[in-house]
Amino acid sequence: MDSAINREWMQAACVSISNTLGVPCNFVPVPTFSEFLEQRRAENLTGIFRSGWVASTPTMEYVLRPQYTTGAANNNSGYTNPRFDALVQQGSTAATAEEAYALWAEAERILIQDMPAVAINDQSAQFGWSPRLQNVEMTYGRELDLETVTVQG
C-alpha cells in the first residue's frame, strides 16, 4: 500500500503539514492493504491516513455510497450523517438520471461542508494528438475511445 512511489509524496505531504500548521506530522507507512484494513477494523488508526479509491463506474453514486454512507464497507473515515445518507438513497431510487444527479449533488454539498476526507491525488492519462484525428474522446477509464475516433488519410 505504501510503496516507494507513495512514500515520497506522502512524506512530502507530512513535511508540508508540519511546516504549514506547526504541528508534528510523522509518516508511518503501512506495508500492505490487508494490514491497513486490520488497523482500520481494530480502530488503531489515530491520525491522518491515505486511502485509495478509483471509481470504475462514472456515477456520483459510485463514489458517494461506498465511501461515505454510514456503515459502508469502504467508509474508512467512519463518516456518518443521516441527511447525507438519505439524499444518496433518494438519488439511488430517483425516477430519472437528472433527478438522481441533483440529489447526489446536494449530498455532495453536505459532504464538502463536513469534510470527512480530503482528495489529494488523482490519476492522470497520457495521450497524443494529430491533425489527422477527429472525434477524439477519452473513455471514463482514461483510454482513447476507439469507437468514436476517426483517422483521415
Side-chain angles (χ1 to χ4, degrees):
M1 178 166 171
D2 293 331
S3 64
I5 292 171
N6 288 324
R7 285 183 186 177
E8 185 176 329
W9 71 261
M10 291 171 74
Q11 184 62 46
C14 204
V15 168
S16 178
I17 289 167
S18 293
N19 291 342
T20 303
L21 301 178
V23 295
C25 179
N26 299 307
F27 171 62
V28 180
V30 178
T32 66
F33 188 61
S34 63
E35 290 175 71
F36 166 77
L37 291 176
E38 281 179 36
Q39 289 181 19
R40 188 191 72 178
R41 280 187 211 107
E43 297 183 5
N44 290 335
L45 299 170
T46 58
I48 59 174
F49 57 87
R50 176 180 95 73
S51 181
W53 184 262
V54 177
S56 60
T57 304
T59 68
M60 293 171 72
E61 178 187 34
Y62 189 76
V63 173
L64 299 175
R65 180 179 293 283
Q67 291 188 97
Y68 301 110
T69 57
T70 303
N74 291 300
N75 184 345
N76 295 325
S77 66
Y79 177 69
T80 184
N81 182 315
R83 179 72 182 132
F84 171 85
D85 292 347
L87 288 165
V88 172
Q89 180 58 35
Q90 289 170 20
S92 300
T93 58
T96 66
E98 292 79 16
E99 183 183 345
Y101 277 98
L103 290 160
W104 292 329
E106 189 176 342
E108 188 176 49
R109 284 189 287 278
I110 292 171
L111 194 64
I112 290 168
Q113 290 298 311
D114 291 348
M115 196 62 72
V118 178
I120 59 170
N121 194 356
D122 192 13
Q123 294 183 349
S124 61
Q126 295 181 5
F127 56 93
W129 180 85
S130 167
R132 293 180 48 214
L133 298 179
Q134 291 187 346
N135 305 315
V136 177
E137 299 287 336
M138 299 295 285
T139 67
Y140 186 73
R142 295 170 300 280
E143 297 174 349
L144 177 63
D145 186 346
L146 297 176
E147 293 183 17
T148 62
V149 69
T150 56
V151 180
Q152 293 185 340

